[in-house]
Amino acid sequence: MASAEKVGIIGSGKMGAALISGILKSNKYSSQNILSYDKILERRKYIKSTYGIRVLESVSEVVKESSIIAIAVKPQDIIDVLKQVGENDLNGKIILSLAAGISTSYIVRYLPKNTEVVRAMPNLACSIGEGMICITGSRGTSTLSIGKIKKLFELTGKVILIDEKYMDAVTGLSGSGPAFVYVFIEALADAGVRLGLQRETSFTLAAQTTLGAGKLVVSTGEHPAKLKDLVVTPGGTTIEGLIEIEKGGLRAIVIEAVSKASEKAYQLQKGLKKYFDK
Ligand SMILES: NC(=O)c1ccc[n+]([C@@H]2O[C@H](COP(=O)([O-])OP(=O)(O)OC[C@H]3O[C@@H](n4cnc5c(N)ncnc54)[C@H](OP(=O)(O)O)[C@@H]3O)[C@@H](O)[C@H]2O)c1
C-alpha cells in the first residue's frame, strides 16, 4: 500500500535526486507525495520532467506540505536552509539532515524547541534500492520518528541505527565508499583493456565481479578473507596477483582514504563553526 506520508526534499542535486529515485522505484510512494525544491530553476525543471514528482517554488512550501523534510544541500548551505525551515510550524514534522559532518546538536539550534531531528548518511546507491544508510536521532527525538525515517530509507537500501559519534566514520566508509569502489572497478577494467579486452567488455566484467563479490560477503556473512581463500588455489593464478596488491600496499591506502574522508567530515563542522556560533 502506498504511504500517505508526504516527503519533502530540499536540494535536488546528486543525493536529493538519488533519494527521489529510490523512493519512487519502491512503488510505496505516489509521485504526488514526494515534493522537492532546489534553488536552481534548471534543476527544478529537470527533476519535474525526470521524476514527475511535485516540484515547489520555495523551502517554506515544501515544509508546509510535508511531514518528513529531508535537507539534501551541501553542508555549507545548510544554515541558510535551516533558518528558512525553522520559520515554519514544525509540529508533527520530522527534519532529516543528510549533510556530512553537521551534528544534530548544531541543527537543533536553528529549529524550534522540541523539533524532531534525524541525521542520516546515505550513499548514491539509494537511487536503485541498494544504498547503505546510517541514521541517528538528536537528543529528544522519539523512537517513533526514528522508526519512520528507518522505514523510509529501507525503501532505498539497508539501514543501520548508529550512535552519532560514529557518523564521521560512516561518512568516510559508506558515504564516500562508492567513489573508492568506482576507482577499483575502473582499474580492473583498465587491466582488461591492457590485456586486449574491449572497454565495454572490461567494464561489464569488472562491475559484475565487484557486485558478485560484495553480494557473496553480504549473503554468506563470511569473513572476506575466507572467501578470498576460496579463489586462491595453491600455486595458482590469483596468488600472483595478490602478491602485487600487497606489494602496492592497497590495504593501507584504502584504510588511509577512508580515514582522510572521515577526518574531512569532522573538519567540515569545525570550519562552519564561526557561522553556527553567530
Ligand atoms: N553525493 C553523495 O554521494 C552524498 C552521500 C551522502 C550524503 N551526501 C550529502 O548530501 C548533501 C547534498 O550533496 P550532493 O552531492 O547532492 O550536493 P549537490 O549535488 O551540490 O546538491 C545540492 C543541491 O542543493 C541546492 N541548494 C543549495 N542551497 C539551497 C537552498 N538554500 N535551497 C534549495 N536548494 C539549495 C544546490 O544548488 P547549488 O549547486 O547552486 O548550490 C544543489 O542543486 C550534502 O550535505 C552531502 O554531504 C551526499
Side-chain angles (χ1 to χ4, degrees):
M1 208 176 73
S3 174
E5 202 99 54
K6 282 189 182 166
V7 181
I9 297 162
I10 299 170
S12 332
K14 295 173 283 292
M15 199 57 238
L19 194 55
I20 292 167
S21 164
I23 297 172
L24 269 179
K25 281 187 181 146
S26 73
N27 288 324
K28 296 286 187 215
Y29 273 78
S30 115
S31 57
Q32 291 311 293
N33 284 350
I34 308 174
L35 295 76
S36 84
Y37 168 70
D38 193 288
K39 71 174 185 193
I40 306 171
L41 176 63
E42 281 309 309
R43 198 68 197 161
R44 297 204 292 276
K45 284 185 183 163
Y46 168 80
I47 294 290
K48 175 91 201 145
S49 63
T50 309
Y51 300 106
I53 63 167
R54 289 183 58 208
V55 175
L56 304 180
E57 294 301 311
S58 71
V59 168
S60 278
E61 281 180 55
V62 171
V63 175
K64 284 193 178 81
E65 285 218 36
S66 314
S67 48
I68 294 175
I69 297 116
I71 305 178
V73 300
K74 287 189 221 71
Q76 58 268 33
D77 294 322
I78 197 167
I79 303 172
D80 181 37
V81 172
L82 283 172
K83 282 180 181 165
Q84 295 178 59
V85 170
E87 284 165 3
N88 295 274
D89 177 9
L90 300 179
N91 221 344
K93 298 180 190 282
I94 307 169
I95 307 303
L96 168 63
S97 167
L98 311 185
I102 311 299
S103 69
T104 55
S105 60
Y106 278 90
I107 294 168
V108 295
R109 292 183 191 187
Y110 295 90
L111 302 172
K113 222 170 161 225
N114 299 327
T115 302
E116 302 275 297
V117 172
V118 178
R119 178 181 169 192
M121 181 43 59
N123 67 24
L124 281 187
C126 284
S127 62
I128 53 158
E130 290 290 352
M132 180 67 241
I133 307 102
C134 292
I135 60 174
T136 192
S138 68
R139 216 153 17 123
T141 296
S142 66
T143 47
L144 181 70
S145 294
I146 295 174
K148 281 186 181 178
I149 298 299
K150 183 167 183 282
K151 212 168 145 200
L152 173 71
F153 272 125
E154 276 169 352
L155 304 176
T156 70
K158 189 179 175 73
V159 185
I160 292 181
L161 264 66
I162 207 150
D163 191 308
E164 188 159 11
K165 70 180 178 200
Y166 298 119
M167 269 306 205
D168 292 338
V170 160
T171 302
L173 203 169
S174 54
S176 304
F180 306 147
V181 175
Y182 294 139
V183 171
F184 185 73
I185 292 175
E186 195 188 2
L188 274 183
D190 280 347
V193 171
R194 185 189 197 188
L195 296 169
L197 294 174
Q198 290 300 313
R199 173 65 63 188
E200 285 280 307
T201 312
S202 260
F203 274 141
T204 305
L205 266 60
Q208 181 60 30
T209 301
T210 310
L211 176 69
K215 267 196 167 175
L216 260 184
V217 177
V218 172
S219 64
T220 62
E222 288 287 9
H223 192 293
K226 200 168 169 191
L227 294 168
K228 178 210 72 185
D229 286 353
L230 296 177
V231 189
V232 183
T233 51
T237 56
T238 312
I239 190 67
E240 295 300 322
L242 275 179
I243 290 165
E244 292 306 311
I245 281 183
E246 299 299 353
K247 271 203 258 176
L250 182 70
R251 287 170 198 263
I253 290 171
V254 172
I255 292 168
E256 202 51 39
V258 173
S259 307
K260 283 276 195 266
S262 167
E263 171 67 17
K264 178 72 183 190
Y266 174 71
Q267 295 295 345
L268 269 176
Q269 176 161 302
K270 273 179 75 182
L272 292 176
K273 213 165 185 292
K274 54 180 184 292
Y275 304 107
F276 279 123
D277 289 343
K278 265 182 193 166

